[in-house]
Structures are given as structure tokens and as C-alpha cells.
Amino acid sequence: MRVKITLSYDGSAFIGFQIQKNETKTCQSVAGALTRALRHINIETTVVGSGRTDTGVHATHQVLHVDLPPFWSDLAKLQTQLNAFLAPHIFIQRITPVDDSFHARFDAKKRLYRYVLYDGAYQPFLSHYALHVKPLDVIKLNEYAQVFVGFHNFEYFKKLGGGKTKDERTIFKAGAYRYKHLIVIYFLGDAFLRSQIRMMCGSLLKACDGVLEYNDLIAQRDRKMKVSTTLIPACGLYLSRVFY
């Protein structure tokens, strides 16, 4: 039986989502931790996620699929046992049966990412979960984020070595808003290139600081020139939702 699993995780505890060579219990990926948890209850299967998240990147609603053996039909019990093994850094929110043709990655239509900033007095306990910045003009940040909306070739907004997938992507919505001292930049797109969001956010912060001009963002978007390749830290990035 194939099941769809929705989960959240604290990315600061992992070396990314995808299984890496020579993983250990103290240096593991999210998929590696899930694979070990499944093996602990005699389930040998491949964990397939909706997408990869890099080292330090969090998820509030990551989606994956696995194939279960026939003897595991009690999904509520399965969820309870897995959560007991995966605590405290991973939490499975729900497990639902799906058609055998369902694919967590290829069937995904849209993905929502959020990047969290904090412009208040320094808070050490936020160091793994938000990027500390000086006070920002969120209205300007929201306006500049609109540059990325639409269908574009984002070749100049990806980390080198990002694979051989196409560079064309559609961003349906983008913007920024404030909640007290937290500022959230968001992007809803069909898919994203390696480190694309962190690079776009880095360029937006430079534009808000006056280091870049609005037209510089457009020039890099249109692949006329590279004005910024800065990757801001992974700590503030969250895979927030996957739409099917």
C-alpha cells in the first residue's frame, strides 16, 4: 500500500533532506532518519520526498510517499510508533493512503516557501530559525519581490552544480509581510532551482539596503548581468506547503 506522509522537521538537526553517503546517527539526513525509523518497525522501503531541502532548511509541511508491506494496515499506530522514534526533530502530522500511481515529487503542482527574518533585539534562541537583520522597510521589500513573479529563466539565481533540470520556473505569488519583529518573505512557485530562494532573498535584502537598484534585480532576472550571487543563511528558510 502506498501512503502519503505529511511531516514537519527542524532542519538545523540535519544535513538536508536527501540521504547522503556515510551518514551516521549524529550526522544524518531527514530521509535517512525516516528510513531508519521505518526499518526499526520492519518496513524496508524507499522514502520519496516532494523536493530536497538543504542543510539547515526547515519544513512545516513536507510531503513524501512510501510503500508499506501488507502487514502494516493500521496507519494511526504506524504514525504513533514513527513519531516516538523520530522525536524531537521530526513530527509526522498525518499518513493517508493514496493510489499506487501517486508520486510525491512529480505530482506536486505548487510549492510554498517562506524565509523568516527578525529585526528586533538579538535573540540567541532564534539563531537557527530566523535571520537577524537590521530594521527593514517591508513595503519596499514586498514591492521588490514582485520582480520575480511570472515565468522566467532563473539561471542567474541558482547555485552552481544544481543538476541538469530546466532553469525555467513559474512563480505565481511573491511578497513580504511583517508580524511584530518577524518579517516573512514568501514565494509560491511550481518548483525551484538549487538555492534559488536564498539567492533571491539575498538580492532583495541588498536592494532594500540600497546596495542594489530595482533595475539590477530585473537585469539579473532577465540574465543580462549578475549583480548578486549571495546565499543568505539557510536558518530562515521553510518549506511551508506542497500543493497537489
Side-chain angles (χ1 to χ4, degrees):
M1 174 175 60
R2 179 160 294 187
V3 295
K4 173 185 175 185
I5 299 178
T6 304
L7 68 158
S8 54
Y9 52 82
D10 177 351
S12 65
F14 301 99
I15 56 173
F17 180 84
Q18 194 72 10
I19 292 179
Q20 305 294 323
K21 294 180 180 178
N22 303 319
E23 281 193 32
T24 66
K25 289 184 178 180
T26 57
C27 183
Q28 63 181 339
S29 65
V30 176
L34 287 163
T35 299
R36 279 186 283 277
L38 290 162
R39 286 175 179 167
H40 183 71
I41 51 177
N42 299 315
I43 298 175
E44 290 286 342
T45 188
T46 300
V47 173
V48 180
S50 67
R52 302 179 180 184
T53 52
D54 291 336
T55 301
V57 176
H58 315 288
T60 58
H61 293 86
Q62 169 70 288
V63 175
L64 56 89
H65 79 255
V66 298
D67 294 320
L68 301 179
F71 61 84
W72 264 110
S73 59
D74 188 338
L75 299 185
K77 182 179 178 181
L78 175 63
Q79 181 176 343
T80 298
Q81 293 203 12
L82 287 175
N83 276 333
F85 189 89
L86 294 167
H89 301 300
I90 300 176
F91 178 72
I92 293 176
Q93 300 166 6
R94 56 186 172 272
I95 304 177
T96 55
V98 290
D99 189 84
D100 287 345
S101 64
F102 174 80
H103 197 285
R105 178 185 174 190
F106 298 135
D107 288 349
K109 305 301 182 186
K110 299 178 183 179
R111 296 165 175 86
L112 174 65
Y113 279 87
R114 295 184 174 101
Y115 195 96
V116 179
L117 310 167
Y118 180 79
D119 67 353
Y122 186 80
Q123 302 288 351
F125 54 83
L126 287 178
S127 60
H128 291 303
Y129 308 107
L131 178 65
H132 285 73
V133 295
K134 63 183 182 181
L136 285 174
D137 181 343
V138 181
I139 295 177
K140 182 184 292 186
L141 183 62
N142 180 70
E143 177 187 345
Y144 286 176
Q146 308 310 312
V147 163
F148 299 113
V149 174
F151 177 80
H152 304 287
N153 185 316
F154 287 100
E155 179 187 1
Y156 284 11
F157 282 98
K158 73 172 183 178
K159 187 176 181 180
L160 296 179
K164 298 181 180 180
T165 59
K166 63 179 182 178
D167 295 327
E168 293 85 3
R169 295 288 188 269
T170 299
I171 294 181
F172 303 102
K173 293 182 180 180
Y177 59 89
R178 174 185 290 279
Y179 176 74
K180 297 183 179 179
H181 283 298
L182 291 176
I183 300 166
V184 178
I185 306 173
Y186 63 89
F187 296 97
L188 176 65
D190 53 358
F192 296 91
L193 304 173
R194 185 184 181 192
S195 300
Q196 178 185 344
I197 295 172
R198 290 166 61 194
M199 197 174 293
M200 290 192 299
C201 287
S203 66
L204 287 174
L205 292 182
K206 287 184 178 180
C208 284
D209 285 342
V211 176
L212 298 179
E213 299 291 335
Y214 179 78
N215 287 335
D216 291 333
L217 299 177
I218 296 175
Q220 182 156 332
R221 181 201 67 189
D222 294 342
R223 296 184 297 155
K224 294 180 179 178
M225 59 186 294
K226 281 189 178 182
V227 294
S228 175
T229 57
T230 299
L231 287 180
I232 58 175
C235 62
L237 185 57
Y238 296 76
L239 171 56
S240 299
R241 191 170 175 186
V242 184
F243 297 85
Y244 290 92

